[in-house]
Amino acid sequence: MAEQKRDYYEVLGVDKNADDAAIKKAYRALAKKYHPDMNPGKQEAEKKFKEASEAYAILSDPEKKRQYDQFGHAAFEQGGGPGGFGGFDFSGADFTDIFGDIFGDMFGGGSRRRTSNGPMKGANVRTSVRITFEEAVFGVEKEIEMTLKDSCPTCKGSGAKPGTSKTTCSKCGGKGQVVFTQQSFFGTVRNVQTCPDCNGTGQVIKEKCTDCHGSGYVSNRKKIQVTIPAGIDHGQSIRIRDKGEPGVNGGPRGDLLVEVMVQRHPIFQRQDYNIFSTVPVSFAVAALGGEILIDTVDGRVVYDVKAGTQTDTKVRLKGKGVPSLRDKNSRGDHYVTLVVQVPEKLSAEAKDLLRKFDAETGASLEAVKKYTESKKDKDPKDPKDSGGKGSKKKKGLFR
C-alpha cells in the first residue's frame, strides 16, 4: 500500500494563502536544511528534501497550484510520468534561482555570478611614503617614484599586432560568458560562468603585439607629486585620482592610494590631535618657582612654574597640538608632564648648603635619629630601644 502524501502546504510550513515569495522562502530554508550534500548518508534527510522539492514544484507554478487547490494530489496522479523524484515529473519546474542561492551559500560562490565585458574601472594601486612627525603636523609635499602601467603606444592598448585586430571569441560568441548544464536533485540546471578562452572580454587576440605581448599595456617609471595635508596621522592614506591601473574596455584608470608612515619622535607622542611630552624641572625651580623652556612643534615656549610644584604635575598648552584635517584653523593641545629632577652629584659646598636648607625646612635628615632617641627616653630598659643584645631596632623600624 502506497504511503499517503502529506499536504504540500503542510510540507513547506506555509498557509494556503501564502504568496510566491513566502513559498519560495520556505522551500529555500528546507532545501538548505535537508540537501543531501549537507546530510551525506542520511536517508531521512533525503526523503524530506525530495518531499519539499515536490511541494515547491507544484506550489511555485500558478497553473499547477490552481489544480492542486481544486483537486489536491488527485490532479497529478494520472499521467505524471516517470521523471523526477519518486515518479513525480519536475520537467516544468524552475529551480535555477533556488539552486544558485543554495549552492552560493554552501560553497561561498555564486553559480549564477555573471561578469561584464563592458567598460570597467582599472584596479587601484597602493604604495607608501615615510614622513617626519613635524611633516605630519604641518603638511608637506613629497615626490614618489613608482612603476605604473600605460596604454601600449604600438597597439593603442588593443594588444593586437598593428594591422590586425581582435576577433570574436568562438567559444562564447562574444558574450564573455558560457552556459553549462549540471544534473542535480532538481533535474537539469543551467549555470553561467566567465568564458575561459577570452576571460570574459568576448574577444581573443590571434596575433599579439610584440611590445606589450598582448596585454595592451607597458610599464613606465614615473615621478608623482603627493600633497600630504597638515594633521594626517600614521596609517592614513591619500587618494590620487586616475593614477592607478588602466581601465578595461575603455574604462577609466584606477586610483593611487598612498599610505603615510610617520616616524617616531624622540620627545613628542600623539593621540588624536593632542601632543604629549615630559619636561624635567630642577628641584630649585620646583620649590621656588620660575620660568622654564618647553619644546613644542612650534618651537620653544616659556612657561612659568609655580612654587611648590610636585613631580608628575601636568600642564596644558592650548592650541599647540596637531591641526584638524577638517579645519586647519583648529588645533589640539599639548599636554606636558613636569618631572622634578634630583641631582646625582653634589659638591661639598652644595651638600653643606642642602643640609642647612633641610634644617630650616623640617630637618628630615635627622628624623630617624630623633625617633630613636625619643624611644630610649621613654623606656631605657626596653631591649627594642636600647640597641643592646637581642635588640630588634632595625627590624622594628623598617618592617
Side-chain angles (χ1 to χ4, degrees):
M1 182 176 178
E3 182 180 351
Q4 187 176 0
K5 290 185 177 182
R6 287 201 299 158
D7 179 78
Y8 287 149
Y9 291 102
E10 179 186 342
V11 170
L12 296 182
V14 297
D15 186 82
K16 289 188 176 182
N17 297 320
D19 57 13
D20 292 341
I23 292 173
K24 179 179 179 180
K25 181 179 180 180
Y27 171 66
R28 186 177 187 276
L30 291 172
K32 288 178 66 176
K33 183 177 180 180
Y34 296 114
H35 193 282
D37 286 348
M38 301 296 288
N39 302 273
K42 297 182 180 179
Q43 294 184 353
E44 184 63 25
E46 182 178 347
K47 177 181 177 182
K48 290 184 178 181
F49 177 73
K50 292 178 180 180
E51 185 181 44
S53 298
E54 180 178 323
Y56 178 72
I58 295 298
L59 300 183
S60 63
D61 185 298
E63 178 59 26
K64 291 180 179 180
K65 182 176 183 296
R66 183 190 64 79
Q67 294 178 30
Y68 179 75
D69 289 343
Q70 185 174 2
F71 302 107
H73 293 296
F76 310 102
E77 288 177 356
Q78 301 296 327
F85 303 125
F88 188 83
D89 184 9
F90 283 85
S91 60
D94 181 13
F95 289 90
T96 304
D97 185 43
I98 294 287
F99 181 80
D101 288 345
I102 293 173
F103 283 87
D105 288 344
M106 285 182 184
F107 305 113
S111 59
R112 299 178 295 116
R113 183 178 296 172
R114 297 174 181 246
T115 57
S116 172
N117 60 356
M120 291 187 296
K121 184 177 180 179
N124 293 333
V125 176
R126 292 182 177 272
T127 189
S128 62
V129 62
R130 187 172 293 275
I131 63 174
T132 66
F133 188 92
E134 288 82 1
E135 288 173 339
V137 172
F138 297 110
V140 67
E141 291 284 335
K142 288 286 185 178
E143 183 179 79
I144 60 176
E145 188 174 353
M146 60 185 305
T147 301
L148 294 174
K149 289 182 179 179
D150 287 318
S151 179
C152 176
T154 304
C155 64
K156 309 301 180 185
S158 69
K161 182 180 178 180
T164 67
S165 59
K166 294 180 180 180
T167 60
T168 301
C169 178
S170 58
K171 189 175 186 68
C172 65
K175 296 179 180 179
Q177 300 166 336
V178 291
V179 179
F180 66 95
T181 58
Q182 180 176 345
Q183 295 295 327
S184 73
F185 286 97
F186 304 103
T188 302
V189 180
R190 299 172 69 250
N191 291 272
V192 179
Q193 70 176 14
T194 301
C195 177
D197 288 5
C198 65
N199 295 319
T201 64
Q203 295 179 314
V204 294
I205 303 172
K206 293 194 174 181
E207 293 187 68
K208 296 181 179 180
C209 172
T210 56
D211 288 347
C212 66
H213 306 289
S215 68
Y217 309 118
V218 291
S219 297
N220 293 311
R221 197 71 178 168
K222 293 186 177 182
K223 293 181 178 180
I224 300 173
Q225 288 294 125
V226 182
T227 300
I228 299 175
I232 197 164
D233 204 352
H234 180 82
Q236 293 182 324
S237 296
I238 300 166
R239 182 183 295 270
I240 303 177
R241 301 288 181 184
D242 304 326
K243 292 295 183 181
E245 297 284 348
V248 179
N249 296 327
R253 293 185 74 103
D255 301 330
L256 173 62
L257 303 177
V258 183
E259 184 180 7
V260 176
M261 313 296 287
V262 182
Q263 296 175 353
R264 284 183 172 272
H265 196 278
I267 298 175
F268 306 133
Q269 291 183 333
R270 175 178 174 175
Q271 183 176 339
D272 296 328
Y273 292 111
N274 297 320
I275 294 175
F276 297 84
S277 67
T278 300
V279 175
V281 179
S282 70
F283 176 78
V285 171
L288 303 176
E291 293 181 337
I292 61 172
L293 292 174
I294 296 178
D295 288 319
T296 72
V297 291
D298 295 313
R300 287 186 170 181
V301 298
V302 177
Y303 181 79
D304 190 12
V305 178
K306 295 180 180 180
T309 293
Q310 303 299 308
T311 193
D312 289 335
T313 297
K314 292 178 175 57
V315 299
R316 173 191 178 196
L317 303 179
K318 189 175 182 181
K320 292 295 183 181
V322 180
S324 169
L325 281 171
R326 297 182 179 180
D327 182 6
K328 295 181 180 180
N329 296 320
S330 175
R331 293 181 62 174
D333 301 323
H334 186 161
Y335 292 90
V336 182
T337 300
L338 304 179
V339 178
V340 179
Q341 286 191 317
V342 177
E344 296 180 358
K345 294 182 180 180
L346 293 173
S347 65
E349 184 180 359
K351 290 180 179 179
D352 289 339
L353 291 173
L354 195 56
R355 291 189 184 97
K356 292 179 181 180
F357 168 80
D358 181 67
E360 294 292 331
T361 57
S364 60
L365 294 174
E366 301 293 328
V368 174
K369 182 179 179 181
K370 290 181 178 180
Y371 174 80
T372 303
E373 291 177 349
S374 66
K375 293 290 286 182
K376 287 181 179 179
D377 294 340
K378 290 181 180 179
D379 189 5
K381 294 182 180 181
D382 189 346
K384 293 182 180 179
D385 296 323
S386 64
K389 187 177 180 180
S391 173
K392 298 182 180 179
K393 171 182 171 183
K394 290 186 177 181
K395 183 177 180 181
L397 285 175
F398 299 103
R399 180 168 52 193

